[in-house]
Amino acid sequence: MNSISHRLEKYTIKKPNEVLIVKVEIDGELDEIAIFKGFSSSLMRPTAFDPDIPVLPETAKILSIDLVASPYNPESPTYIKQGLTRKQMQSLLAEVGI
């Protein structure tokens, strides 16, 4: 399976010093998802314990992606890049071979 969710998780395994903050719309509701070292977690709603249930479903509309330096501090994040589009993120994924 090569969904955008899995590809973003693989990216954070290859770039463990980066956290992805993905702003999405899922079924008409806004959410923010943090992806770090291969794991995804919603910052706005409960995350399922079952790792087979994607936090970022394929039906989600990605609004923007921020690259943040690890460790992630929500009070004062250190941004590497902000407001990336899905297309721009696809380029970064390609750069690391994902």
Side-chain angles (χ1 to χ4, degrees), residues 53-73:
I53 298 173
V55 177
L56 180 62
E58 280 301 302
T59 57
K61 179 182 178 193
I62 295 176
L63 305 175
S64 69
I65 300 172
D66 295 339
L67 289 177
V68 183
S70 171
Y72 173 62
N73 177 353

Side-chain angles (χ1 to χ4, degrees), residues 5 8 12 38 58 62 74 80 97:
S5 175
L8 293 174
T12 62
E58 280 301 302
I62 295 176
I80 299 167

Side-chain angles (χ1 to χ4, degrees), residues 20-92:
L20 300 179
I21 304 297
V22 185
K23 292 177 180 74
V24 296
E25 185 180 309
I26 302 170
D27 300 328
E29 291 186 40
L30 296 178
D31 198 356
E32 283 189 22
I33 296 170
I35 305 175
F36 177 61
K37 291 189 177 178
F39 294 97
S40 298
S41 181
S42 171
L43 300 176
M44 300 174 74
R45 62 174 93 193
T47 300
F49 290 110
D50 183 348
D52 291 333
I53 298 173
V55 177
L56 180 62
E58 280 301 302
T59 57
K61 179 182 178 193
I62 295 176
L63 305 175
S64 69
I65 300 172
D66 295 339
L67 289 177
V68 183
S70 171
Y72 173 62
N73 177 353
E75 306 299 314
S76 148
T78 304
Y79 290 100
I80 299 167
K81 292 183 181 176
Q82 275 185 280
L84 294 173
T85 64
R86 184 175 177 148
K87 187 174 183 179
Q88 290 168 317
M89 190 66 214
Q90 299 275 21
S91 295
L92 289 176

